Amino acid sequence: MAAEAVPTRLVERFGTPAALALIALGFGLARPDAFATASNLLAVTQQMAILAIVATAATFVMVIGEFDLSVGFVASLAGVLVVKLLAAGFGVAPSILLTLGACAAVGAVNGLVVHGLRAPSFIATLAIGTIVSGLAYWLSGGASLFQGIPPDFTVMARAAAGPVPVPVLTLWMLAVLLAAGGTLATTVFGRRLIAIGSNREAARLSGVAIGRPIVAVFAIAAALSGLAGVLLAARLGSVQHTMGEGLLLPAYAAVFLGMTAFRGGRPNMLGTAVGVAIIAVLANGLTILNVEPFFQKMVTGAIIIAAVMLRRFGMAAAR
């Protein structure tokens, strides 16, 4: 029995990274001239950066056993709000700080509703996200905004740094992933979140504060979503009130994929990074192969189903 369990554990822990390697190998063999190049590798990291930041927000919330369906709406609001502030004459730094503060406040409301009113996070964050979506529409007037955006703002997502010219977006992604992973792995706050997610009642009986960490997690998730929206606005040089909504499904697909790797069915930052990489590599490779965008969405949905099946397989094997 023990010998039979070894392959199962290997598949459970390393199947997702192996899948990433096989996907990359397949695209590399199919189009070595376009996919398997250093420039395309940098392009993939740039493409996955904004999604990785939103997926980090989703990971934080899932660590405590909750969902936040407002992340895409908050990203859209952040993009609209930062551009409106820039157009009103605020500087780049004040505009970004005010935007992230507003997003964190939305997240705090999410946390207060979920914890204080005992509302299911799935419903509460969807409702608040819908309100946020309406606010973004009102601020933008339903139109694309592109005037009053200074070059000092767009450079934060379009520039490159270092002798190899690594895209700044890639550096943003690495900074967020490392900070989030370090917080969860090495800090008292991170350990409290993991305890809450593992068994909330047991954590409470052990003297772990519940309310403030939950509110803080939702605020952090919203601030990260806001950062993703700000970077997306800087990269595009324009905003629409719905521009971040398409990030929700891929972000949770990445988190679910990450839960099948490394930590035995638990949300973890390393797994989320691998999940984001799988989604980004698939999108990049399918685009290179001239596959229609609608099929890429179908693949993303199939990834979520596969991730859930893998998780259930791993849990059944553990029993």
Side-chain angles (χ1 to χ4, degrees), residues 22-23 32 43 61 66 72 74 94 149 166 207 229 234 261-262 279 298 311:
L22 289 174
I23 292 169
V61 178
E66 303 288 359
V74 172
I149 302 177
V166 176
F262 306 121
I279 293 172
M298 294 168 63
R311 187 187 178 201

Side-chain angles (χ1 to χ4, degrees), residues 54-193:
V54 178
T56 299
T59 302
F60 263 108
V61 178
M62 288 192 68
V63 163
I64 63 170
E66 303 288 359
F67 284 91
D68 187 351
L69 300 188
S70 69
V71 290
F73 299 117
V74 172
S76 297
L77 175 64
V80 171
L81 183 56
V82 73
V83 169
K84 292 290 287 186
L85 290 171
L86 289 169
F90 288 81
V92 172
S95 296
I96 294 173
L97 291 175
L98 287 170
T99 297
L100 296 184
C103 292
V106 171
V109 172
N110 276 332
L112 289 170
V113 172
V114 170
H115 177 70
L117 301 181
R118 300 295 191 270
S121 59
F122 190 93
I123 302 300
T125 57
L126 180 60
I128 292 173
T130 304
I131 295 172
V132 168
S133 177
L135 180 58
Y137 182 90
W138 173 66
L139 287 174
S140 67
S144 297
L145 304 178
F146 53 86
Q147 295 181 342
I149 302 177
D152 289 347
F153 176 69
T154 57
V155 73
M156 65 183 292
R158 294 181 179 179
V164 176
V166 176
V168 171
L169 268 179
T170 301
L171 299 179
W172 277 105
M173 174 185 69
L174 292 175
V176 169
L177 289 173
L178 289 173
T183 298
L184 291 175
T186 66
T187 67
V188 174
F189 177 67
R191 289 192 290 272
R192 285 177 178 171
L193 299 185

Side-chain angles (χ1 to χ4, degrees), residues 33-46 167 284:
D33 58 320
F35 182 84
T37 63
S39 60
N40 189 57
L41 174 61
L42 290 175
V44 170
T45 62
Q46 186 175 28
N284 179 266

